[in-house]
Coordinates of all heavy atoms in Angstrom, one line a residue:
M113 N 104.0 108.2 124.3 CA 102.6 107.7 124.5 C 102.4 106.4 123.7 O 102.6 106.4 122.5 CB 101.6 108.8 124.0 CG 101.5 110.0 124.9 SD 100.4 109.7 126.3 CE 98.9 110.6 125.7
P114 N 101.9 105.4 124.4 CA 101.6 104.2 123.7 C 100.3 104.4 122.9 O 99.5 105.2 123.2 CB 101.3 103.2 124.9 CG 101.1 104.0 126.1 CD 101.8 105.3 125.9
I115 N 100.2 103.6 121.9 CA 99.1 103.7 121.0 C 98.2 102.4 121.1 O 98.7 101.3 121.2 CB 99.6 103.7 119.5 CG1 100.6 104.9 119.3 CG2 98.4 103.8 118.5 CD1 99.9 106.2 119.1
D116 N 96.9 102.7 121.3 CA 96.0 101.6 121.3 C 96.0 100.9 119.9 O 95.7 101.6 118.9 CB 94.6 102.2 121.5 CG 93.5 101.2 121.6 OD1 93.6 100.2 120.9 OD2 92.5 101.5 122.3
P117 N 96.4 99.7 119.8 CA 96.6 99.0 118.5 C 95.2 98.8 117.8 O 95.2 98.5 116.6 CB 97.3 97.7 118.8 CG 96.9 97.4 120.2 CD 96.8 98.7 120.9
V118 N 94.2 98.8 118.6 CA 92.9 98.5 118.0 C 92.3 99.8 117.2 O 92.0 99.7 116.1 CB 91.9 98.0 119.0 CG1 90.5 97.8 118.4 CG2 92.4 96.8 119.7
C119 N 92.2 100.9 118.0 CA 91.6 102.0 117.3 C 92.7 103.1 116.9 O 92.4 104.0 116.2 CB 90.6 102.7 118.3 SG 91.4 103.3 119.8
G120 N 93.9 102.9 117.4 CA 95.0 103.8 116.9 C 95.1 105.1 117.7 O 95.9 106.0 117.4
M121 N 94.4 105.2 118.8 CA 94.5 106.5 119.5 C 95.5 106.4 120.7 O 95.9 105.3 121.1 CB 93.2 107.0 120.1 CG 92.5 106.1 121.1 SD 90.9 106.9 121.7 CE 91.5 107.9 123.0
E122 N 96.0 107.5 121.1 CA 97.0 107.5 122.1 C 96.4 107.3 123.5 O 95.3 107.8 123.8 CB 97.7 108.9 122.2 CG 98.6 109.1 121.0 CD 99.4 110.4 121.1 OE1 99.0 111.2 121.8 OE2 100.4 110.5 120.4
V123 N 97.1 106.4 124.3 CA 96.6 106.1 125.6 C 97.6 106.4 126.7 O 98.8 106.3 126.3 CB 96.0 104.7 125.7 CG1 94.6 104.6 125.2 CG2 96.9 103.7 125.0
S124 N 97.2 106.6 127.9 CA 98.2 106.8 128.9 C 98.8 105.5 129.4 O 98.1 104.5 129.4 CB 97.5 107.5 130.1 OG 98.3 107.5 131.2
E125 N 100.1 105.6 129.7 CA 100.7 104.3 130.2 C 100.2 104.0 131.6 O 100.5 102.9 132.1 CB 102.2 104.6 130.3 CG 102.9 104.5 129.0 CD 104.4 104.8 129.1 OE1 105.0 104.1 129.9 OE2 104.9 105.7 128.5
E126 N 99.5 104.9 132.2 CA 99.0 104.6 133.5 C 97.7 103.8 133.5 O 97.2 103.4 134.6 CB 98.8 105.9 134.3 CG 100.1 106.6 134.6 CD 99.9 108.0 135.1 OE1 98.8 108.4 135.5 OE2 100.9 108.8 134.9
T127 N 97.2 103.6 132.4 CA 95.9 102.9 132.3 C 96.1 101.4 132.8 O 97.2 100.8 132.7 CB 95.4 102.9 130.8 OG1 94.1 102.2 130.8 CG2 96.3 102.1 129.9
E128 N 95.0 100.9 133.3 CA 95.0 99.5 133.7 C 94.6 98.6 132.6 O 94.7 97.4 132.7 CB 94.1 99.3 134.9 CG 94.7 99.9 136.2 CD 93.8 99.8 137.4 OE1 92.9 98.9 137.3 OE2 94.0 100.5 138.4
L129 N 94.2 99.2 131.5 CA 93.8 98.5 130.4 C 95.0 98.1 129.5 O 95.3 98.7 128.5 CB 92.8 99.3 129.5 CG 91.5 99.5 130.3 CD1 90.7 100.7 129.6 CD2 90.6 98.3 130.3
K130 N 95.7 97.2 130.0 CA 96.9 96.8 129.2 C 97.0 95.2 129.2 O 96.4 94.5 130.0 CB 98.2 97.4 129.8 CG 98.4 97.1 131.2 CD 99.7 97.8 131.7 CE 99.9 97.6 133.1 NZ 101.0 98.4 133.7
L131 N 97.8 94.8 128.2 CA 97.8 93.4 128.0 C 99.2 93.0 127.4 O 99.7 93.8 126.6 CB 96.8 93.0 127.0 CG 96.5 91.5 126.7 CD1 95.7 90.9 127.9 CD2 95.7 91.4 125.4
E132 N 99.8 92.0 127.9 CA 101.1 91.6 127.4 C 100.9 90.5 126.4 O 100.1 89.5 126.6 CB 102.0 91.0 128.5 CG 103.4 91.0 128.1 CD 104.3 90.6 129.2 OE1 104.1 91.0 130.4 OE2 105.2 89.8 128.9
Y133 N 101.4 90.7 125.2 CA 101.3 89.8 124.2 C 102.6 89.7 123.4 O 103.2 90.7 123.1 CB 100.2 90.2 123.2 CG 100.0 89.3 122.0 CD1 99.2 88.1 122.2 CD2 100.5 89.6 120.8 CE1 99.0 87.3 121.2 CE2 100.3 88.7 119.7 CZ 99.6 87.5 119.9 OH 99.4 86.7 118.9
N134 N 103.1 88.4 123.3 CA 104.4 88.2 122.6 C 105.5 89.0 123.3 O 106.4 89.6 122.6 CB 104.4 88.5 121.2 CG 103.9 87.3 120.4 OD1 103.9 86.2 120.9 ND2 103.6 87.5 119.1
G135 N 105.5 89.2 124.6 CA 106.5 89.9 125.3 C 106.4 91.4 125.2 O 107.3 92.1 125.7
K136 N 105.4 91.9 124.6 CA 105.2 93.3 124.5 C 103.9 93.7 125.1 O 102.9 93.0 125.1 CB 105.1 93.7 123.0 CG 105.7 95.0 122.7 CD 105.5 95.4 121.2 CE 105.5 96.9 121.1 NZ 105.1 97.3 119.7
V137 N 103.9 94.9 125.7 CA 102.7 95.3 126.4 C 102.0 96.3 125.5 O 102.5 97.2 125.0 CB 103.1 96.0 127.8 CG1 101.8 96.5 128.5 CG2 103.9 95.1 128.7
Y138 N 100.7 96.0 125.4 CA 99.8 96.9 124.6 C 98.8 97.6 125.6 O 98.3 97.0 126.5 CB 99.1 96.0 123.6 CG 100.0 95.4 122.6 CD1 100.6 94.2 122.8 CD2 100.3 96.1 121.5 CE1 101.4 93.6 121.9 CE2 101.2 95.6 120.5 CZ 101.8 94.3 120.8 OH 102.6 93.8 119.9
Y139 N 98.6 98.8 125.2 CA 97.6 99.6 126.1 C 96.4 99.9 125.3 O 96.4 100.0 124.0 CB 98.3 100.9 126.5 CG 99.6 100.7 127.3 CD1 100.8 100.5 126.7 CD2 99.5 100.7 128.7 CE1 101.9 100.3 127.4 CE2 100.6 100.5 129.4 CZ 101.8 100.3 128.8 OH 103.0 100.2 129.6
F140 N 95.3 100.0 126.0 CA 94.0 100.2 125.4 C 93.2 101.4 126.0 O 93.4 101.7 127.2 CB 93.2 98.9 125.4 CG 93.9 97.8 124.9 CD1 94.7 96.9 125.7 CD2 93.9 97.5 123.5 CE1 95.4 95.9 125.2 CE2 94.7 96.5 123.0 CZ 95.4 95.6 123.9
C141 N 92.4 102.0 125.1 CA 91.7 103.1 125.6 C 90.4 102.7 126.3 O 89.9 103.5 127.1 CB 91.3 104.0 124.4 SG 90.1 103.3 123.3
S142 N 89.9 101.5 126.1 CA 88.7 101.1 126.7 C 88.6 99.6 126.8 O 89.4 98.9 126.1 CB 87.5 101.6 125.8 OG 87.5 100.9 124.6
P143 N 87.8 99.1 127.7 CA 87.7 97.6 127.8 C 87.2 97.0 126.5 O 87.6 95.8 126.2 CB 86.6 97.4 128.9 CG 86.6 98.7 129.6 CD 87.0 99.8 128.7
H144 N 86.5 97.8 125.7 CA 86.0 97.3 124.4 C 87.2 97.0 123.5 O 87.3 95.9 122.9 CB 85.1 98.3 123.8 CG 84.6 97.9 122.4 ND1 83.7 96.9 122.2 CD2 85.0 98.4 121.2 CE1 83.5 96.8 120.9 NE2 84.2 97.7 120.3
C145 N 88.1 97.9 123.4 CA 89.3 97.7 122.6 C 90.2 96.5 123.1 O 90.7 95.8 122.3 CB 90.1 99.0 122.5 SG 89.5 100.2 121.4
K146 N 90.3 96.4 124.4 CA 91.1 95.4 124.9 C 90.4 94.0 124.6 O 91.1 93.1 124.2 CB 91.1 95.5 126.5 CG 92.1 94.5 127.1 CD 92.3 95.0 128.6 CE 93.2 94.0 129.3 NZ 92.5 92.9 129.9
A147 N 89.1 93.9 124.7 CA 88.4 92.7 124.3 C 88.6 92.4 122.8 O 88.8 91.2 122.5 CB 86.9 92.8 124.7
Q148 N 88.6 93.4 122.0 CA 88.8 93.2 120.6 C 90.2 92.6 120.3 O 90.3 91.7 119.6 CB 88.7 94.5 119.9 CG 87.4 95.1 119.7 CD 86.6 94.6 118.5 OE1 87.3 94.3 117.5 NE2 85.3 94.6 118.6
F149 N 91.1 93.2 121.0 CA 92.5 92.7 120.9 C 92.6 91.2 121.3 O 93.2 90.4 120.7 CB 93.4 93.6 121.6 CG 94.9 93.3 121.4 CD1 95.6 93.9 120.4 CD2 95.6 92.4 122.2 CE1 96.9 93.6 120.1 CE2 96.9 92.1 122.0 CZ 97.6 92.7 121.0
E150 N 92.0 91.0 122.5 CA 92.1 89.6 123.0 C 91.5 88.6 122.2 O 92.0 87.4 122.1 CB 91.5 89.6 124.4 CG 92.4 90.2 125.5 CD 91.7 90.3 126.9 OE1 90.5 90.7 126.9 OE2 92.3 89.9 127.8
S151 N 90.4 89.0 121.5 CA 89.7 88.0 120.7 C 90.5 87.7 119.4 O 90.3 86.7 118.8 CB 88.3 88.5 120.4 OG 88.3 89.6 119.5
N152 N 91.3 88.7 118.9 CA 92.0 88.4 117.7 C 93.3 89.3 117.6 O 93.4 90.2 116.9 CB 91.1 88.8 116.5 CG 91.6 88.3 115.2 OD1 92.7 87.6 115.2 ND2 91.0 88.6 114.1
P153 N 94.3 88.9 118.5 CA 95.5 89.8 118.6 C 96.3 89.8 117.3 O 96.9 90.9 117.0 CB 96.3 89.1 119.7 CG 95.7 87.8 119.9 CD 94.3 87.8 119.4
E154 N 96.3 88.8 116.6 CA 97.1 88.8 115.4 C 96.7 89.8 114.3 O 97.4 90.2 113.5 CB 97.2 87.4 114.8 CG 97.9 86.4 115.7 CD 98.3 85.1 115.0 OE1 97.9 85.0 113.9 OE2 98.9 84.3 115.7
K155 N 95.4 90.1 114.5 CA 94.9 91.1 113.5 C 95.5 92.5 113.7 O 95.7 93.3 112.8 CB 93.4 91.2 113.7 CG 92.7 92.2 112.8 CD 91.2 92.2 113.0 CE 90.5 93.3 112.2 NZ 89.1 93.4 112.6
Y156 N 95.9 92.7 115.0 CA 96.4 94.0 115.4 C 97.9 94.1 115.5 O 98.5 95.1 115.6 CB 95.7 94.5 116.7 CG 94.2 94.5 116.5 CD1 93.4 93.5 117.1 CD2 93.6 95.5 115.8 CE1 92.1 93.5 117.0 CE2 92.2 95.5 115.7 CZ 91.5 94.5 116.3 OH 90.1 94.5 116.1
V157 N 98.5 92.9 115.6 CA 99.9 92.9 115.7 C 100.5 92.5 114.4 O 100.6 91.3 114.0 CB 100.4 91.9 116.8 CG1 101.9 91.9 117.0 CG2 99.7 92.2 118.1
K158 N 100.9 93.4 113.7 CA 101.5 93.1 112.3 C 102.9 93.5 112.3 O 103.3 94.7 112.3 CB 100.7 93.9 111.3 CG 99.3 93.4 111.1 CD 98.6 94.3 110.1 CE 97.1 94.1 110.1 NZ 96.5 95.2 109.3
G159 N 103.8 92.5 112.4 CA 105.2 92.8 112.3 C 105.7 93.7 113.4 O 105.1 93.8 114.4
E160 N 106.8 94.4 113.1 CA 107.3 95.2 114.2 C 107.1 96.7 113.8 O 107.5 97.1 112.8 CB 108.8 94.9 114.3 CG 109.0 93.5 114.8 CD 110.3 93.5 115.7 OE1 111.2 94.3 115.5 OE2 110.3 92.7 116.7
G161 N 106.5 97.4 114.8 CA 106.3 98.8 114.6 C 105.3 99.1 113.5 O 105.2 98.4 112.5
M162 N 104.4 100.0 113.9 CA 103.4 100.3 112.9 C 103.9 101.4 112.0 O 104.5 102.3 112.3 CB 102.2 100.8 113.7 CG 101.4 99.7 114.4 SD 100.1 100.4 115.4 CE 98.9 100.9 114.2
K163 N 103.6 101.1 110.7 CA 104.1 102.1 109.7 C 102.8 102.8 109.2 O 101.9 102.2 108.6 CB 104.8 101.4 108.6 CG 106.2 101.1 108.9 CD 107.0 100.6 107.7 CE 108.4 100.3 108.1 NZ 109.2 99.8 106.9
H164 N 102.9 104.1 109.4 CA 101.8 104.9 108.9 C 102.1 105.4 107.6 O 103.1 106.1 107.4 CB 101.4 106.0 109.9 CG 100.8 105.5 111.1 ND1 99.5 105.2 111.3 CD2 101.4 105.2 112.3 CE1 99.3 104.8 112.5 NE2 100.4 104.8 113.2
E165 N 101.4 105.1 106.6 CA 101.6 105.7 105.3 C 100.7 106.9 105.1 O 99.5 106.8 105.1 CB 101.4 104.7 104.2 CG 102.5 103.7 104.2 CD 102.4 102.7 103.0 OE1 101.7 103.1 102.0 OE2 102.9 101.6 103.1
H166 N 101.4 108.0 104.9 CA 100.7 109.2 104.6 C 100.7 109.5 103.2 O 101.7 109.7 102.6 CB 101.3 110.4 105.4 CG 101.2 110.2 106.9 ND1 100.1 110.5 107.6 CD2 102.2 109.8 107.7 CE1 100.4 110.2 108.9 NE2 101.6 109.8 109.0
G167 N 99.5 109.4 102.6 CA 99.4 109.6 101.2 C 99.3 111.1 100.9 O 98.2 111.7 100.9
H168 N 100.5 111.7 100.8 CA 100.4 113.1 100.5 C 100.3 113.3 99.0 O 101.1 112.8 98.2 CB 101.7 113.8 100.9 CG 101.8 114.0 102.4 ND1 101.1 114.9 103.1 CD2 102.6 113.3 103.3 CE1 101.4 114.8 104.3 NE2 102.3 113.8 104.5
K169 N 99.3 114.0 98.7 CA 99.1 114.3 97.2 C 99.1 115.8 97.0 O 98.1 116.5 97.4 CB 97.8 113.7 96.8 CG 98.0 112.3 96.3 CD 96.7 111.8 95.5 CE 96.9 110.4 95.0 NZ 95.8 109.9 94.2
H170 N 100.1 116.3 96.5 CA 100.2 117.7 96.2 C 100.0 117.9 94.7 O 100.8 117.3 93.9 CB 101.6 118.3 96.6 CG 101.8 118.2 98.1 ND1 101.2 119.0 99.0 CD2 102.6 117.4 98.8 CE1 101.6 118.7 100.2 NE2 102.5 117.7 100.2
G171 N 99.0 118.6 94.4 CA 98.7 118.8 93.0 C 99.7 119.8 92.4 O 99.3 121.0 92.3
H172 N 100.8 119.4 92.1 CA 101.8 120.3 91.5 C 101.5 120.4 90.0 O 101.6 119.5 89.2 CB 103.2 119.8 91.6 CG 103.7 120.1 93.0 ND1 104.0 121.3 93.5 CD2 104.0 119.2 94.0 CE1 104.4 121.2 94.8 NE2 104.4 120.0 95.1
K173 N 101.1 121.6 89.7 CA 100.9 121.8 88.2 C 101.9 122.7 87.7 O 102.3 123.7 88.3 CB 99.5 122.5 88.1 CG 98.4 121.5 88.2 CD 97.1 122.1 87.7 CE 95.9 121.0 87.8 NZ 94.6 121.6 87.4
R174 N 102.4 122.4 86.6 CA 103.5 123.1 86.0 C 103.0 124.4 85.3 O 102.0 124.3 84.5 CB 104.3 122.3 85.0 CG 105.1 121.3 85.6 CD 106.2 120.7 84.7 NE 107.1 119.8 85.4 CZ 108.3 119.6 85.0 NH1 108.8 120.2 83.9 NH2 109.1 118.8 85.7
H175 N 103.6 125.4 85.7 CA 103.2 126.7 85.0 C 104.0 126.9 83.8 O 105.2 126.6 83.8 CB 103.4 127.9 86.0 CG 102.5 127.9 87.2 ND1 101.2 128.3 87.1 CD2 102.7 127.5 88.4 CE1 100.7 128.1 88.3 NE2 101.6 127.6 89.1
G176 N 103.3 127.3 82.8 CA 104.0 127.6 81.6 C 104.9 128.8 81.7 O 104.5 129.9 81.6
C177 N 106.2 128.5 82.1 CA 107.1 129.6 82.4 C 107.6 130.3 81.2 O 108.3 131.3 81.3 CB 108.2 129.1 83.2 SG 109.1 127.7 82.5
C178 N 107.3 129.7 80.0 CA 107.8 130.3 78.8 C 106.9 131.4 78.3 O 107.3 132.2 77.4 CB 108.1 129.3 77.8 SG 106.7 128.3 77.4
C179 N 105.7 131.5 78.8 CA 104.8 132.5 78.3 C 104.9 133.8 79.0 O 105.1 133.8 80.2 CB 103.4 132.0 78.2 SG 102.8 131.3 79.8
H180 N 104.9 134.9 78.3 CA 105.1 136.2 78.9 C 103.8 136.7 79.6 O 102.9 136.9 78.9 CB 105.6 137.2 77.9 CG 106.8 136.6 77.1 ND1 108.1 136.7 77.6 CD2 106.8 136.0 76.0 CE1 108.8 136.1 76.7 NE2 108.1 135.6 75.7
Ligands
LIG255 ZN1 90.8 102.1 121.6

């Protein structure tokens, strides 16, 4: 599933809301997102492939294993 680069949601490849930019086709969920992209494509096209950083924070607390 292609991702709408503006809002980040998944869109169907069958949508007519698509745009070719730098030889790559981008799909959009709404005319609004497409217009956003058209007005400032470089804002949404950053390098190759989007990297999602998931900040996993697991609060690992050490248990005092030496106490009975
Ligand atoms: Zn969108």
Side-chain angles (χ1 to χ4, degrees):
M113 286 274 261
I115 305 280
D116 181 330
V118 178
C119 65
M121 68 179 267
E122 290 184 341
V123 278
S124 169
E125 283 178 56
E126 290 167 23
T127 182
E128 287 179 19
L129 296 162
K130 58 185 174 183
L131 188 76
E132 198 179 318
Y133 181 79
N134 272 349
K136 211 183 155 191
V137 181
Y138 295 90
Y139 299 86
F140 305 93
C141 68
S142 67
H144 177 74
C145 282
K146 187 168 179 272
Q148 287 273 332
F149 186 90
E150 284 178 311
S151 68
N152 194 2
E154 293 194 355
K155 182 180 171 186
Y156 303 104
V157 182
K158 294 177 191 168
E160 296 214 327
M162 285 172 74
K163 280 188 181 177
H164 292 275
E165 284 187 25
H166 297 279
H168 286 287
K169 273 194 177 181
H170 297 286
H172 283 293
K173 281 191 178 178
R174 287 197 175 205
H175 293 280
C177 54
C178 54
C179 49
H180 309 275

